[in-house]
Amino acid sequence: MEQGASTITQALISETMIAAWILVAIAFFALGILVYVAIRSRTRRVDLEKAVQAFRSLDIEAFRNLVDSGEEAFLRNNLSPKKFREIKRQRAWAAVIYAWEAGRAAAALAKIGQAAQRSTDPEIAASGVQVAENAFRLRLQTIGACLHLLTEVVLPDLRSPSLPPLVDQYERTAQTLFRLGRFSSRGQGLVRPKSA
């Protein structure tokens, strides 16, 4: 009896150790990705035109449709359960791609906002602060949205709330970016050191 209990205990300890090592490996992998992204983002320069173009290329209305809970309810009521799960997975994957691209655009915008903050023009500097703050919030929301949407891919039968905060934050960030673009296109340099 004791021998069976010790075998079970050893098996549980072994499984726990394996799970712990897997978690450690995942943590190191995630840390490696973060370091790679941080190094890569420092070496790349981002210009305002590319960021504006990237932002405009995202079809926010299509994204809003993909994450709309009313649209999901309509599909749930009018499709067979199997077909609904298939369509919901496809829609969730498409929404993940939209959210990921919005997050990439937000990272570029944060750099532009930081550069604009160093401008001698107070309007540009103030807009730079707003762009950087909005970009940071948008980036956080896109990460959360991606996790939420990936959960929908894995578990399509879950009823999911729509993601209006992400869409609203995207629109606020876009408005601030376009205002910054107007300021810098008036012939004023986007990045000029404050010391003169």
Side-chain angles (χ1 to χ4, degrees):
M1 185 73 144
E2 279 184 29
Q3 206 172 26
S6 84
T7 305
I8 292 173
T9 304
Q10 288 176 346
L12 287 174
I13 291 172
S14 175
E15 288 178 14
T16 304
M17 291 297 292
I18 290 171
W21 281 110
I22 289 173
L23 288 175
V24 167
I26 290 171
F28 275 116
F29 181 71
L31 181 63
I33 289 174
L34 288 173
V35 168
Y36 170 75
V37 168
I39 290 171
R40 187 170 163 231
S41 68
R42 285 186 174 268
T43 60
R44 286 193 317 181
R45 295 196 51 86
V46 178
D47 67 8
L48 184 59
E49 282 304 315
K50 282 186 180 179
V52 170
Q53 186 177 9
F55 237 63
R56 285 188 176 152
S57 69
L58 292 175
D59 185 353
I60 197 65
E61 288 306 316
F63 178 74
R64 188 188 307 266
N65 183 4
L66 287 171
V67 298
D68 182 31
S69 58
E71 186 74 20
E72 180 183 329
F74 175 80
L75 293 172
R76 187 182 298 271
N77 293 333
N78 292 303
L79 296 174
S80 68
K82 182 180 179 184
K83 189 66 174 173
F84 170 74
R85 286 190 297 273
E86 177 186 333
I87 296 295
K88 185 168 179 189
R89 280 190 177 109
Q90 291 171 356
R91 289 169 57 90
W93 270 119
V96 165
I97 293 168
Y98 271 100
W100 183 262
E101 289 301 316
R104 287 181 60 200
L109 293 180
K111 285 184 172 184
I112 290 170
Q114 291 167 354
Q117 290 175 35
R118 294 188 294 268
S119 174
T120 56
D121 185 323
E123 285 183 288
I124 293 177
S127 288
V129 169
Q130 288 179 339
V131 166
E133 288 174 358
N134 286 341
F136 179 72
R137 286 189 199 102
L138 179 61
R139 185 68 173 140
L140 288 178
Q141 288 179 353
T142 59
I143 290 169
C146 284
L147 293 174
H148 174 81
L149 292 164
L150 287 172
T151 303
E152 288 185 12
V153 169
V154 175
L155 303 168
D157 287 326
L158 287 178
R159 294 195 185 267
S160 59
S162 60
L163 300 169
L166 175 62
V167 175
D168 295 342
Q169 185 64 47
Y170 176 88
E171 289 173 343
R172 280 192 299 274
T173 305
Q175 290 169 356
T176 308
L177 173 68
F178 298 144
R179 188 171 61 242
L180 179 62
R182 281 196 314 270
F183 290 149
S184 67
S185 68
R186 290 190 311 209
Q188 302 164 350
L190 178 62
V191 182
R192 285 192 301 212
K194 284 188 174 180
S195 61

